Amino acid sequence: MNKDEYKEKNIEMMQKNEKEEKKQSHVVKIEEIEIKSLLEESLTKEEKSFLLGKIISNLQLEDIASQEYASSIYHYLLNREGTYEESEINFITFFTIYLNYRKIKYDEEGNVRQGYNKVRIPSIEVTPYVQESESALAAYSLSTVYISSELSINPFKDGDKDCLFAYIQALSHEMVHYRQDYEASHGLLTESSFKCILEQAIRWQEYDDNSLNYRFRETEVEAQIESMQYAVELAQEYFPSYLSFQEEMLFRRENYLMEEALSFQYDDEKILALRDFYDIGLLSIAVAKGIQRNNITIDLLKVYPQLLAFFDENKNIRSEEELLKGYQFAKETNNPISNIYEQFLVYIYHKEPNLQNESLSSELLQIKRSFIISQIEKEKKFLEQIEYMIHYREHAITRITRRWKLNVEEIIKQRKERIKYYKAFIESRSEFSETDEIQNIINIELNAYELLLDKIDKTVAIDNMLDKVIKNANYNNKK
């Protein structure tokens, strides 16, 4: 969503919401008989709307009793057949966002997570279509979740449960974006905040092709995978008998995870690079030069001080020694930010000279060796996923290729080249010469990639031949 376009509007909405919150500073009493009457469908349309409005207002104030009432009503509405009234749609929308909000702010014991005390329920705005991307079900920008009534609400309004749960997943997706944005803007160093910072740093740069890269953005992949999982969890809790949605969503999530082996990005000249290399490269440019927005240069290290874990005060990527130490410490303490250090190490090892650095201590060389082996294992997993998709899910690759201009052959070549760099490092160290098992894995991977490239070449040749036959047939039929 275009953040500049909505900025003034969102400020007005936030001011309006603040005034509304001040108006209701206390919990409105709700009788159990009111809830019972709603569940028994004995309330008028006006009475139901008024009751649901009171519950929503109380939830804004974290009223425990209202949470329990809301949970019962949510369960009833999701399981009920038939159409939904506007007040019911508003309630389903708000409570879905509320459940996501609770999941972000509180731990399993109900305590506020450290650093998340300022998490708030975002504003909600329903519009016929979400601007900038009119095919989007919903979008998030500046503390507001925007919802497309035409693409999200209308499809389930008449009782279509598939569309209803797709809506729940779409709202959950936007709430992941809310969390990413919160963590980044509040100085938290997490995988999610780093993904958000990456997108902020990259999408406005002239080197980037945002339209082609959108599908495989770090933020989008995380939001999609996490929201799919949470939508299934909500279905299991509130609509356990509706298994077809759960099965379909889990299958789609599995596909999404598998497609991570193809993770790529394009620059403005349509040149492809593996995402982990591309992202860190453009982030380092953004840190060094700053981001130009509205004739103002934004210093990323000032806006996001958590980046100092990976960049020094001179705005250079920290040394290999510092990155290895940070990576090792994070691994030893089971801190997920080890995955961020991993991206930086992969970036600096993308070229052989950095990979062959021998000025490290023996301890750091051992850490480096372990890291390289872990990357070889990771590439092995990617290889297996690409092999599976090519052999058994060619339709998935075809779909992604057509929509996102995916070049599978180029991805395979770049992954193969990366493995060759890793192999050169392993072979260069005499003390690692006993690692026959690792050498076998590397050789198997390189051979497998050759077979895949050969298969793709043959497939392309067959497709071209079929295209030519079809065109000739059509031409002859018209004569």
Side-chain angles (χ1 to χ4, degrees):
M1 170 162 293
N2 191 319
K3 297 187 177 180
D4 295 331
E5 190 173 350
Y6 286 116
K7 187 173 183 180
E8 291 184 6
K9 190 173 185 180
N10 284 338
I11 291 173
E12 291 176 5
M13 288 178 59
M14 284 186 274
Q15 290 173 342
K16 179 182 176 183
N17 289 334
E18 286 175 3
K19 291 179 181 178
E20 290 175 352
E21 286 180 13
K22 289 178 182 177
K23 285 181 183 178
Q24 182 182 328
S25 58
H26 64 281
V27 173
V28 178
K29 187 174 182 181
I30 297 174
E31 302 289 348
E32 286 194 26
I33 187 64
E34 295 180 272
I35 305 301
K36 184 178 179 182
S37 297
L38 186 149
L39 298 178
E40 293 177 350
E41 302 185 13
S42 60
L43 294 180
T44 65
K45 184 177 181 179
E46 291 73 20
E47 289 172 334
K48 182 191 295 181
S49 179
F50 182 66
L51 175 58
L52 293 176
K54 287 198 297 183
I55 293 173
I56 288 174
S57 296
N58 286 351
L59 289 175
Q60 296 275 11
L61 300 172
E62 303 277 7
D63 179 50
I64 300 300
S66 295
Q67 290 176 30
E68 295 174 358
Y69 292 149
S71 184
S72 298
I73 295 170
Y74 193 65
H75 184 279
Y76 157 73
L77 290 175
L78 297 190
N79 288 272
R80 194 197 69 194
E81 299 298 327
T83 61
Y84 290 100
E85 299 170 5
E86 184 177 352
S87 63
E88 294 172 333
I89 292 171
N90 291 340
F91 176 82
I92 290 171
T93 300
F94 179 84
F95 195 61
T96 301
I97 287 176
Y98 178 80
L99 288 171
N100 277 272
Y101 151 79
R102 295 279 308 182
K103 186 169 181 279
I104 294 168
K105 186 169 184 175
Y106 300 96
D107 62 21
E108 294 179 355
E109 284 73 41
N111 301 314
V112 176
R113 300 180 193 275
Q114 186 175 357
Y116 294 80
N117 56 302
K118 293 183 179 179
V119 170
R120 298 289 182 266
I121 301 171
S123 301
I124 301 168
E125 180 172 332
V126 178
T127 180
Y129 293 99
V130 176
Q131 292 194 31
E132 186 176 315
S133 177
E134 293 198 345
S135 62
L137 301 182
Y140 170 79
S141 177
L142 294 173
S143 299
T144 301
V145 174
Y146 294 89
I147 299 163
S148 169
S149 58
E150 292 296 323
L151 300 179
S152 283
I153 293 175
N154 288 347
F156 81 79
K157 196 172 184 179
D158 292 332
D160 187 316
K161 299 301 183 186
D162 281 337
C163 292
L164 171 60
F165 278 99
Y167 180 59
I168 289 172
Q169 188 255 323
L171 294 181
S172 300
H173 177 109
E174 301 311 325
M175 287 300 289
V176 175
H177 286 322
Y178 169 73
R179 192 198 71 232
Q180 292 167 341
D181 180 59
Y182 175 89
E183 293 177 358
S185 60
H186 285 75
L188 301 179
L189 179 54
T190 65
E191 288 185 277
S192 292
S193 70
F194 185 71
K195 289 169 183 175
C196 184
I197 293 169
L198 275 177
E199 179 162 8
Q200 293 297 317
I202 292 171
R203 69 177 304 184
W204 301 115
Q205 292 193 54
E206 60 184 5
Y207 315 103
D208 182 59
D209 190 329
N210 185 56
S211 60
L212 283 180
N213 292 340
Y214 179 79
R215 159 63 177 80
F216 282 96
R217 290 287 193 207
E218 287 268 13
T219 48
E220 287 305 314
V221 172
E222 180 181 49
Q224 193 71 347
I225 290 173
E226 188 170 320
S227 64
M228 286 175 170
Q229 180 63 39
Y230 192 48
V232 170
E233 291 174 10
L234 289 176
Q236 291 172 339
E237 181 175 357
Y238 291 100
F239 199 178
S241 62
Y242 193 56
L243 296 177
S244 61
F245 167 82
Q246 298 175 37
E247 292 170 354
E248 173 63 23
M249 191 60 70
L250 288 173
F251 178 74
R252 286 175 55 200
R253 184 175 184 273
E254 180 185 339
N255 280 346
Y256 226 89
L257 285 166
M258 183 169 292
E259 290 164 8
E260 275 291 87
L262 304 172
S263 57
F264 64 94
Q265 302 279 256
Y266 283 99
D267 67 15
D268 61 329
E269 296 181 350
K270 305 293 187 292
I271 296 175
L272 178 148
L274 297 177
R275 188 179 69 206
D276 47 16
F277 173 75
Y278 177 94
D279 284 355
I280 301 302
L282 260 65
L283 176 62
S284 63
I285 293 173
V287 168
K289 294 185 176 182
I291 299 178
Q292 300 297 321
R293 298 294 297 150
N294 301 321
N295 297 320
I296 298 174
T297 301
I298 301 172
D299 186 336
L300 287 182
L301 293 186
K302 290 183 178 178
V303 177
Y304 303 114
Q306 57 266 59
L307 285 177
L308 286 168
F310 314 104
F311 293 89
D312 60 27
E313 291 77 4
N314 296 320
K315 301 183 178 180
N316 297 316
I317 293 178
R318 291 196 176 275
S319 68
E320 179 185 5
E321 182 177 4
E322 290 174 302
L323 293 175
L324 282 170
K325 287 180 178 178
Y327 168 77
Q328 183 66 9
F329 180 76
K331 291 287 284 186
E332 290 174 351
T333 56
N334 294 316
N335 191 324
I337 68 167
S338 61
N339 294 326
I340 305 175
Y341 280 106
E342 177 182 327
Q343 291 182 63
F344 280 90
L345 288 168
V346 166
Y347 176 76
I348 68 170
Y349 291 157
H350 194 78
K351 297 300 181 183
E352 194 170 353
N354 286 329
L355 196 57
Q356 299 300 344
N357 176 26
E358 302 209 7
S359 63
L360 299 171
S361 67
S362 58
E363 181 183 358
L364 285 179
L365 277 173
Q366 190 61 36
I367 294 171
K368 182 174 181 177
R369 173 185 179 275
S370 297
F371 174 80
I372 296 300
I373 291 175
S374 73
Q375 291 304 299
I376 291 170
E377 294 288 350
K378 188 173 184 178
E379 291 295 330
K380 179 185 177 185
K381 181 180 177 181
F382 285 156
L383 168 61
E384 292 169 350
Q385 291 172 338
I386 294 172
E387 279 185 306
Y388 182 80
M389 283 188 284
I390 288 175
H391 290 308
Y392 302 107
R393 293 189 183 174
E394 286 188 75
H395 64 283
I397 288 184
T398 301
R399 172 176 50 80
I400 298 172
T401 301
R402 287 175 179 169
R403 183 172 181 183
W404 304 100
K405 314 300 181 188
L406 174 65
N407 187 331
V408 179
E409 185 175 9
E410 181 59 29
I411 287 173
I412 290 174
K413 287 179 178 177
Q414 290 193 22
R415 291 211 173 280
K416 178 183 174 183
E417 196 67 18
R418 181 175 288 183
I419 293 169
K420 287 169 68 176
Y421 287 149
Y422 294 155
K423 179 180 182 182
F425 169 75
I426 294 294
E427 291 178 338
S428 69
R429 309 299 303 175
S430 59
E431 64 269 36
F432 302 156
S433 59
E434 75 280 0
T435 57
D436 293 336
E437 182 181 349
I438 299 301
Q439 288 284 12
N440 287 336
I441 291 174
I442 292 173
N443 291 331
I444 289 171
E445 289 182 42
L446 292 175
N447 292 334
Y449 274 140
E450 279 298 317
L451 293 174
L452 285 179
L453 289 171
D454 184 56
K455 176 177 174 60
I456 289 175
D457 286 341
K458 288 179 180 177
T459 302
V460 170
I462 292 171
D463 286 345
N464 290 338
M465 181 181 69
L466 290 174
D467 286 344
K468 186 174 181 180
V469 170
I470 292 170
K471 288 177 182 177
N472 288 337
N474 288 339
Y475 175 76
N476 291 330
N477 289 336
K478 291 177 181 178
K479 292 171 74 173

